[in-house]
């Protein structure tokens, strides 16, 4: 809920919620170019410590979100990925930032 106060959990949600949101946006951008999540070959995720989880990085939340889009019955593709813990992101309310690399399939 973007109209929630800055710094509140309600603004963007926990790591899993944020990751799902970002992955959906990536999925939409890929569709604009005739691609899908099946064309993703590499993901890089930057995660920051979650103060509501004792200041730890919520890798489990990231992995759960990843599993909704990759390495499952709907999309068996399992792209290479890196997960990097960082002190902060540009927006202090963000818990995760994701880069996706996709390739156009051979025609």
């Amino acid at each position: 809920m973007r109209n929630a106060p800055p710094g509140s959990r309600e603004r963007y949600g926990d790591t899993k919620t944020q990751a799902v949101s970002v992955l959906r946006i990536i999925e939409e951008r890929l569709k604009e170019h005739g691609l899908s999540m099946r064309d993703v070959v590499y993901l890089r995720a930057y995660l920051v410590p979650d103060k509501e989880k004792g200041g730890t990085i919520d890798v489990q939340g990231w992995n759960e979100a990843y599993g909704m889009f990759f390495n499952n019955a709907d999309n068996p593709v399992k792209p290479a990925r890196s997960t990097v813990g960082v002190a902060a992101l540009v927006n202090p309310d963000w818990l995760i930032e994701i880069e996706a690399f996709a390739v156009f399939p051979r025609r």
Side-chain angles (χ1 to χ4, degrees):
M1 185 165 43
R2 291 186 188 255
N3 59 354
S8 69
R9 178 54 51 108
E10 293 77 24
R11 189 166 177 96
Y12 292 109
D14 62 8
T15 299
K16 180 180 178 182
T17 302
Q18 290 185 27
V20 169
S21 177
V22 173
L23 290 168
R24 284 185 178 141
I25 292 168
I26 290 169
E27 188 172 46
E28 290 172 16
R29 297 298 176 267
L30 290 169
K31 284 181 186 176
E32 292 172 4
H33 298 282
L35 299 171
S36 74
M37 292 301 238
R38 290 177 179 258
D39 300 305
V40 173
V41 295
Y42 180 72
L43 294 167
R44 182 180 301 124
Y46 300 93
L47 284 82
V48 298
D50 184 345
K51 64 184 175 192
E52 293 192 25
K53 296 207 175 204
T56 61
I57 292 174
D58 186 10
V59 176
Q60 180 179 346
W62 162 228
N63 285 335
E64 289 174 8
Y66 170 89
M68 294 172 64
F69 292 84
F70 301 100
N71 194 29
N72 59 43
D74 293 329
N75 181 12
V77 171
K78 188 175 179 182
R81 64 180 173 146
S82 299
T83 302
V84 182
V86 296
L89 295 170
V90 172
N91 184 324
D93 291 335
W94 293 351
L95 297 171
I96 187 166
E97 182 174 315
I98 304 169
E99 297 175 336
F101 299 81
V103 297
F104 284 93
R106 290 184 182 207
R107 302 208 188 250

